[in-house]
């Protein structure tokens, strides 16, 4: 099993990014500020950075929160949901920085600043970061979503990956940066994402062994299971314009299984493929086990129509088998399915995520994962 997972991991990584890394990425500081922005508590160091990559899209900005006093800290890559942006995660970033974790977030392609100048806000500087900006991000979401949906339509017609895989590709560049950053404990880098970011988190961790612990939330699912069992409606509705375009282009009167399969093949090749004989098959039952034997917390909701539970259980069964064989009995896989919840992150889910990351990345916390 170990060798087959290694091959799958390498194939996924090659599909995400073919360019080899050559030294540290080029990064420049745009802003820096020491502040406590979300409630009473210790101030943290905020940084806004510009990361240059060899990709055709070029550079994108990073938001960083870290403890002021610590010389070296563990780090977490944090990925946002559909329609949101890196600043939307800032309250979580500050909370984790106060607990000793450097936290770094970036805009997914066609989100945030990569959708509209200043993300469509009046001011996106560190001086304006805070609760009022988070409200403004919510009120301006429709303009950014249009840019994203237009990109998905273009991706469907051109065959370019513009769904999930592109986020994981960018996250690999962020990992490259963290692994050269001198104030980061390079052996303790985690990843966490919500919804769209949760999907990107599972794929990043599956592709990159530098991820020490991963916590994908309301993102793990089997695209293939949903496709063949006609459970794709809620997921399709979340990015509907690409599927409406495909329906029209294919001369269909309604979106059906054939339309859904065609769109996934164009914008996320391999993501709905579950045949283990295919090297380019990357559905979660095949790639979630690639995270073993590293630390993994899977958080899902019982009644989530975008991540149907029956398909989630297929993914978990595959991962559990990999952990049984590779983790030597250690408690490295944790699953939390919150009952009676649809597609949402609850306070209890966040508590599980926080406890998991602090336990696995912290150097002094010896709490057993079975107690989380």
């Amino acid at each position: 099993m170990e060798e087959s997972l290694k091959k799958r991991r390498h194939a996924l990584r090659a599909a995400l990014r073919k360019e080899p890394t050559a030294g540290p990425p080029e990064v420049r500081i745009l802003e820096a500020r020491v502040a406590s922005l979300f409630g009473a508590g210790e101030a943290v160091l905020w940084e806004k950075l510009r990361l240059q990559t060899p990709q055709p899209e070029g550079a994108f900005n990073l938001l960083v929160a870290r403890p002021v006093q610590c010389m070296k800290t563990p780090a977490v890559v944090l990925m946002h949901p559909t329609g949101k942006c890196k600043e939307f995660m800032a309250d979580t970033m500050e909370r984790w920085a106060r607990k000793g974790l450097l936290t770094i977030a970036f805009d997914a392609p066609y989100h945030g600043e990569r959708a509209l100048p200043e993300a469509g806000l009046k001011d996106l500087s560190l001086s304006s970061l805070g609760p009022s900006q988070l409200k403004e991000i919510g009120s301006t979401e429709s303009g950014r979503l249009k840019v994203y949906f237009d990109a998905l339509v273009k991706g469907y017609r051109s065959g370019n990956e513009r769904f999930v895989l592109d986020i994981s590709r960018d996250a690999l560049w962020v990992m490259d940066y963290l692994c050269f950053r001198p104030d980061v404990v390079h052996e303790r880098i985690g990843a966490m994402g919500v919804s769209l970011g949760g999907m990107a988190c599972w794929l990043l961790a599956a592709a990159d062994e530098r991820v020490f612990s991963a916590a994908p939330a309301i993102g793990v699912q089997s695209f293939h299971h949903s496709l063949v069992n006609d459970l794709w409606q809620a997921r399709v509705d979340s990015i509907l314009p690409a599927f409406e375009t495909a329906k029209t282009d294919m001369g269909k009167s309604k979106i059906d299984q054939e339309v859904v399969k065609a769109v996934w093949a164009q914008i996320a090749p391999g993501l709905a493929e579950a045949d283990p004989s295919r090297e380019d098959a990357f559905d979660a039952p095949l790639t979630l086990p690639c995270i073993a034997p590293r630390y993994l917390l899977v958080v899902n909701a019982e009644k989530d129509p975008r991540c149907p539970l029956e398909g989630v259980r297929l993914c978990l069964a595959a991962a559990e088998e990999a952990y049984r064989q590779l983790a030597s009995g250690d408690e490295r896989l944790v699953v939390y399915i919150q009952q009676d919840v649809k597609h949402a992150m609850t306070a209890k889910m966040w508590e599980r995520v926080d406890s998991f990351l602090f336990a696995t990345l912290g150097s002094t916390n010896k709490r057993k994962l079975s107690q989380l």
Side-chain angles (χ1 to χ4, degrees):
M1 171 175 277
E2 186 172 6
E3 187 60 30
S4 65
L5 292 178
K6 182 178 179 180
K7 289 181 180 178
R8 185 77 54 189
R9 185 183 305 118
H10 288 175
L12 175 59
R13 187 180 178 100
L16 294 178
R17 188 180 72 182
K18 298 177 174 63
E19 305 93 333
T21 58
E26 178 186 338
V27 175
R28 60 187 175 93
I29 298 176
L30 302 179
E31 297 180 79
R33 181 188 181 193
V34 175
S36 176
L37 303 176
F38 297 92
E42 184 180 353
V44 305
L45 174 61
W46 291 96
E47 298 173 337
K48 189 171 182 178
L49 311 172
R50 185 74 170 168
L51 174 67
Q52 181 68 48
T53 79
Q55 292 176 285
E57 293 83 0
F60 56 91
N61 292 342
L62 309 174
L63 185 65
V64 179
R66 61 146 292 150
V68 175
Q69 302 299 330
C70 297
M71 295 296 292
K72 294 191 73 169
T73 69
V76 182
V77 180
L78 182 58
M79 289 165 278
H80 63 75
T82 300
K84 301 301 190 290
C85 58
K86 59 189 181 302
E87 287 79 12
F88 180 78
M89 313 303 288
D91 54 345
T92 299
M93 297 176 69
E94 184 170 271
R95 184 174 77 249
W96 290 354
R98 287 172 176 161
K99 290 286 189 178
L101 299 179
L102 182 150
T103 308
I104 189 166
F106 63 96
D107 294 324
Y110 307 99
H111 285 74
E113 297 179 272
R114 302 170 79 177
L116 298 172
E118 299 288 324
L121 310 183
K122 295 186 293 291
D123 181 15
L124 201 64
S125 68
L126 289 181
S127 62
S128 66
L129 186 62
S132 61
Q133 188 184 83
L134 266 60
K135 292 181 181 178
E136 191 179 0
I137 287 169
S139 67
T140 57
E141 184 173 308
S142 60
R144 295 188 303 274
L145 274 175
K146 183 181 185 308
V147 175
Y148 179 49
F149 292 158
D150 288 348
L152 292 177
V153 170
K154 183 179 178 181
Y156 160 69
R157 286 181 165 161
S158 67
N160 293 326
E161 305 125 40
R162 299 192 189 279
F163 180 73
V164 181
L165 300 175
D166 54 358
I167 308 173
S168 302
R169 179 181 295 116
D170 284 349
L172 287 172
W173 297 115
V174 177
M175 289 293 298
D176 288 347
Y177 166 62
L178 288 175
C179 286
F180 281 101
R181 185 165 165 140
D183 59 352
V184 168
V185 180
H186 301 151
E187 298 77 19
R188 290 291 185 275
I189 299 177
M192 192 271 164
V194 178
S195 190
L196 178 66
M199 296 180 237
C201 175
W202 122 51
L203 290 165
L204 168 67
D208 194 341
E209 291 180 287
R210 296 174 298 181
V211 177
F212 183 77
S213 65
I218 57 173
V220 169
Q221 64 201 273
S222 172
F223 281 82
H224 179 77
H225 179 272
S226 294
L227 178 65
V228 299
N229 290 281
D230 286 327
L231 298 172
W232 41 261
Q233 290 82 1
R235 173 60 60 201
V236 165
D237 286 345
S238 70
I239 52 171
L240 188 59
F243 296 89
E244 292 282 6
T245 299
K247 177 195 72 175
T248 301
D249 288 356
M250 297 171 70
K252 298 271 190 175
S253 60
K254 64 178 182 178
I255 297 172
D256 59 15
Q257 187 180 106
E258 185 181 5
V259 170
V260 176
K261 183 177 181 179
V263 173
W264 289 146
Q266 287 291 91
I267 67 173
L271 199 59
E273 298 291 345
D275 182 352
S277 68
R278 290 186 53 168
E279 185 180 82
D280 61 347
F282 303 129
D283 195 15
L286 296 177
T287 51
L288 196 68
C290 293
I291 303 173
R294 290 165 289 143
Y295 290 100
L296 173 62
L297 167 67
V298 176
V299 174
N300 278 77
E302 179 194 21
K303 297 181 179 179
D304 188 344
R306 298 188 192 180
C307 305
L309 189 58
E310 184 179 344
V312 173
R313 294 200 185 282
L314 290 177
C315 308
L316 294 175
E320 287 164 357
E321 179 59 28
Y323 275 84
R324 273 194 293 270
Q325 294 194 33
L326 301 179
S328 303
D330 291 347
E331 301 163 339
R332 298 201 173 198
L333 172 61
V334 181
V335 177
Y336 180 66
I337 308 293
Q338 185 158 357
Q339 304 299 303
D340 297 318
V341 172
K342 294 184 179 179
H343 192 73
M345 278 295 288
T346 67
K348 287 184 178 180
M349 289 172 165
W350 277 114
E351 288 172 5
R352 293 294 180 117
V353 169
D354 288 7
S355 297
F356 174 81
L357 291 175
F358 301 152
T360 56
L361 297 177
S363 59
T364 59
N365 194 335
K366 303 298 184 183
R367 189 179 180 189
K368 290 186 178 181
L369 293 182
S370 61
Q371 298 172 344
L372 299 183

